[in-house]
C-alpha cells in the first residue's frame, strides 16, 4: 500500500460556489482534496467500489444512456413527467448509515475486490472520516455528510441511495412507474400527484429532502435533455442547456 502514501500532503481547500440556476440562489461548498493525505486512498477506494455503483435498477450512465432508456416509453392515461432532486445530497447524507450500507455490500459473496475486504473497509473509513479543510486561512471539520469534491463521495452516495430505492422507494404507495436516476436527479413517469409522491419520499429518511419539478407545456428538462410529450403520448428528446451553461 506504499503507492497510497501522499508525499508532502496538503490540507484540502474549500471554495463556495453559487448554484445560479436555482431559485432562490443557493451556495455550496466544494472541497478540493487533491494532494491531501487521503486523496490517493479515496481514488483507490472509488475504483474498487465502482462495480457496486452500476448495478442499481435506476442507474443511468449519462444523457445518452437516459435517451436509450426512454426511447420506447409513452405516457399511459393520467400519467405525467416529474423530476425529483435530492437537496444538498452529499453534505446531507448520514455517514454512519452510508458506511453500514457500504459494509453490507462489500461483504456480499458476489463482490470480489481482489484484496482483503477488511482492508478495503478500513480504507473506506479513512476516506469517510477525514473531513478537515481550509477556507480563507481558517480550518474547519465537516461533522456530517460527504465532501463535495472527494473521489469517494459519488460511489458512497450511489451505494446508499440504491439501498433506499430497494427497501423504500420502489415499495411506496405512490411509487412512479418509471424511476431513472443520475446521482441526485431522478426522472419519473407516474400517475400519482407530485404532492403525494413528494410527501412519501420525504418520509423515507429524516436527513434526506427531495424537491420536485413537474412538466410544463408538455416539456421537462432532465440532465442535458429536454423531454417533450408528443401528441400520441410518446416522448421525444432534444439537447437542453441550462441558462448558466458556458459550453466549456
Amino acid at each position: 500500500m506504499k503507492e497510497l502514501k501522499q508525499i508532502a500532503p496538503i490540507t484540502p481547500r474549500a471554495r463556495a460556489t453559487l448554484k445560479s440556476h436555482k431559485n432562490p440562489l443557493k451556495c455550496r461548498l466544494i472541497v478540493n482534496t487533491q494532494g491531501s493525505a487521503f486523496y490517493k486512498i479515496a481514488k483507490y477506494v472509488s475504483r474498487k467500489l465502482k462495480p457496486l455503483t452500476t448495478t442499481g435498477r435506476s442507474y443511468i450512465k449519462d444523457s445518452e444512456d437516459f435517451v436509450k432508456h426512454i426511447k420506447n416509453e409513452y405516457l399511459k392515461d393520467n400519467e405525467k413527467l416529474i423530476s425529483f432532486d435530492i437537496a444538498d445530497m452529499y453534505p446531507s447524507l448520514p455517514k454512519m448509515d452510508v458506511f453500514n450500507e457500504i459494509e453490507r455490500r462489500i461483504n456480499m459473496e458476489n463482490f470480489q475486490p481482489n484484496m482483503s475486504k477488511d482492508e478495503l473497509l478500513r480504507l473506506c473509513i479513512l476516506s469517510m472520516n477525514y473531513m478537515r479543510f481550509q477556507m480563507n486561512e481558517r480550518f474547519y471539520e465537516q461533522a456530517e455528510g460527504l465532501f463535495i469534491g472527494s473521489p469517494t463521495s459519488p460511489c458512497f452516495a450511489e451505494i446508499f441511495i440504491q439501498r433506499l430505492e430497494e427497501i423504500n422507494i420502489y415499495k411506496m404507495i405512490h411509487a412512479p412507474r418509471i424511476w431513472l436516476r443520475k446521482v441526485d436527479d431522478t426522472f419519473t413517469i407516474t400517475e400519482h400527484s407530485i404532492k403525494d409522491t413528494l410527501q412519501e419520499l420525504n418520509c423515507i429518511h429524516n436527513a434526506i429532502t427531495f424537491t420536485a419539478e413537474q412538466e410544463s407545456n408538455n416539456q421537462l428538462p432532465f440532465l442535458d435533455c429536454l423531454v417533450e410529450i408528443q401528441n400520441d403520448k410518446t416522448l421525444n428528446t432534444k439537447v437542453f442547456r441550462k441558462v448558466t451553461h458556458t459550453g466549456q
Side-chain angles (χ1 to χ4, degrees), residues 156-215:
F156 285 169
E158 179 63 30
I159 291 168
F160 178 68
I161 299 300
Q162 283 181 14
R163 185 60 172 168
L164 288 187
E165 291 172 335
E166 291 170 3
I167 65 177
N168 296 110
I169 294 174
Y170 298 146
K171 299 177 182 179
M172 294 192 314
I173 296 173
H174 302 100
R177 179 172 67 86
I178 300 294
W179 176 277
L180 299 172
R181 181 177 51 80
K182 171 68 174 174
V183 191
D184 56 350
D185 291 324
T186 306
F187 172 88
T188 72
I189 300 177
T190 182
E191 64 178 358
H192 304 296
S193 74
I194 191 170
K195 178 181 177 182
D196 290 341
T197 308
L198 197 57
Q199 184 176 29
E200 196 167 2
L201 284 170
N202 284 330
C203 289
I204 290 174
H205 199 293
N206 58 11
I208 296 175
T209 301
F210 285 84
T211 61
E213 179 183 357
Q214 189 167 329
E215 67 189 57

Side-chain angles (χ1 to χ4, degrees), residues 1 16 55 83 98 115 119 121 153 171 173 185 218 221 223 244 246:
M1 291 293 180
T55 58
S83 66
V98 172
M115 66 177 296
E119 287 182 1
L121 281 169
S153 293
K171 299 177 182 179
I173 296 173
D185 291 324
N218 289 326
L223 303 181
T244 53
T246 63

Side-chain angles (χ1 to χ4, degrees), residues 8 21 25 39 87 89 104 134 164 177 186 196 219 228:
H21 62 283
L25 290 177
Y39 179 73
M89 183 181 73
R104 188 188 75 85
Q134 182 178 357
L164 288 187
R177 179 172 67 86
T186 306
D196 290 341
Q219 296 180 327
E228 299 177 320

Side-chain angles (χ1 to χ4, degrees), residues 30-96:
I30 298 178
V31 181
N32 182 359
T33 60
Q34 292 187 35
S36 66
F38 295 99
Y39 179 73
K40 290 184 178 180
I41 292 175
K43 291 281 286 185
Y44 182 81
V45 167
S46 67
R47 290 195 298 269
K48 290 294 182 181
L49 295 184
K50 186 175 181 179
L52 298 178
T53 66
T54 60
T55 58
R57 176 172 143 192
S58 69
Y59 175 79
I60 48 177
K61 181 180 179 181
D62 49 29
S63 295
E64 182 179 357
D65 191 32
F66 168 67
V67 171
K68 291 179 181 178
H69 272 80
I70 68 167
K71 181 179 180 180
N72 297 316
E73 288 294 341
Y74 62 94
L75 299 190
K76 298 178 181 179
D77 290 344
N78 301 319
E79 286 190 327
K80 59 187 76 68
L81 305 181
I82 303 176
S83 66
F84 294 96
D85 174 77
I86 302 175
D88 301 319
M89 183 181 73
Y90 290 127
S92 298
L93 294 180
K95 281 200 298 186
M96 184 55 67

Side-chain angles (χ1 to χ4, degrees), residues 101-139:
E101 177 55 19
I102 291 168
E103 183 179 33
R104 188 188 75 85
R105 292 289 299 277
I106 286 176
N107 285 323
M108 292 178 70
E109 290 185 9
N110 62 353
F111 178 64
Q112 299 299 327
N114 297 321
M115 66 177 296
S116 163
K117 292 189 175 185
D118 287 340
E119 287 182 1
L120 180 55
L121 281 169
R122 283 196 290 270
L123 294 179
C124 288
I125 293 172
L126 287 174
S127 300
M128 189 176 292
N129 287 343
Y130 186 79
M131 302 287 284
R132 299 178 183 88
F133 63 92
Q134 182 178 357
M135 185 176 182
N136 297 332
E137 307 306 320
R138 299 187 67 176
F139 294 88

